[in-house]
Amino acid sequence: MATNYPDQLGNWVQEHPESQHECNMAAFLVVRKDVRAALNAGYRMKLIWKNLRASKRICFGYDAFRRYVHRFIENTSPADQQIAPDATTATQSGQRPSGSSGSLPTNLPGFVLNTNPKKEDLF
């Protein structure tokens, strides 16, 4: 048996390898700054995940990636984050313009609920 704690801890680590979850979390923490910068630049989370998977910087699925982003990036202090661009201005390429204000336009076309329907609109 080891006489001091570091030796005892070393023996325990050799007997109990890290779980897959711990390895995945460590891999995410390595790329956390890059993910935060890409999100602040307006890139979609799935696009970032696909790129990190393709470049073999991470090896876990999208659901785990989302959980890590929520846990380690979205829940940081407000001083560490910049306001992300508005989702309504996203383009098909997965990139968002950097100059959007983050507020929704007030005159969006769409459904308006009218509780008193017109007679000609009824069947």
Side-chain angles (χ1 to χ4, degrees):
M1 180 152 178
T3 58
N4 60 14
Y5 183 69
D7 292 337
Q8 181 184 0
L9 184 60
N11 291 337
W12 183 85
V13 167
Q14 288 177 351
E15 294 172 6
H16 299 91
E18 288 185 356
S19 69
Q20 186 66 36
H21 170 72
E22 292 167 339
C23 292
N24 291 345
M25 187 180 346
F28 179 80
L29 292 175
V30 169
V31 299
R32 175 175 51 177
K33 287 183 181 178
D34 296 333
V35 172
R36 180 182 287 134
L39 287 171
N40 287 339
Y43 289 96
R44 295 180 317 194
M45 201 181 309
K46 189 150 190 173
L47 188 68
I48 298 166
W49 170 78
K50 283 182 180 181
N51 179 266
L52 291 172
R53 279 274 297 215
S55 62
K56 300 197 185 302
R57 293 178 68 188
I58 59 172
C59 60
F60 47 87
Y62 181 63
D63 289 334
F65 180 76
R66 287 181 52 222
R67 283 192 305 271
Y68 293 142
V69 167
H70 178 69
R71 181 174 177 186
F72 295 111
I73 294 178
E74 291 181 357
N75 290 337
T76 58
S77 66
D80 294 341
Q81 293 182 344
Q82 296 177 359
I83 296 175
D86 185 26
T88 60
T89 58
T91 61
Q92 293 296 331
S93 66
Q95 192 174 12
R96 297 180 186 163
S98 60
S100 66
S101 65
S103 62
L104 292 174
T106 57
N107 56 353
L108 287 176
F111 177 76
V112 178
L113 177 64
N114 184 0
T115 57
N116 298 320
K118 299 177 187 172
K119 289 266 191 196
E120 59 268 7
D121 290 341
L122 298 176
F123 292 113

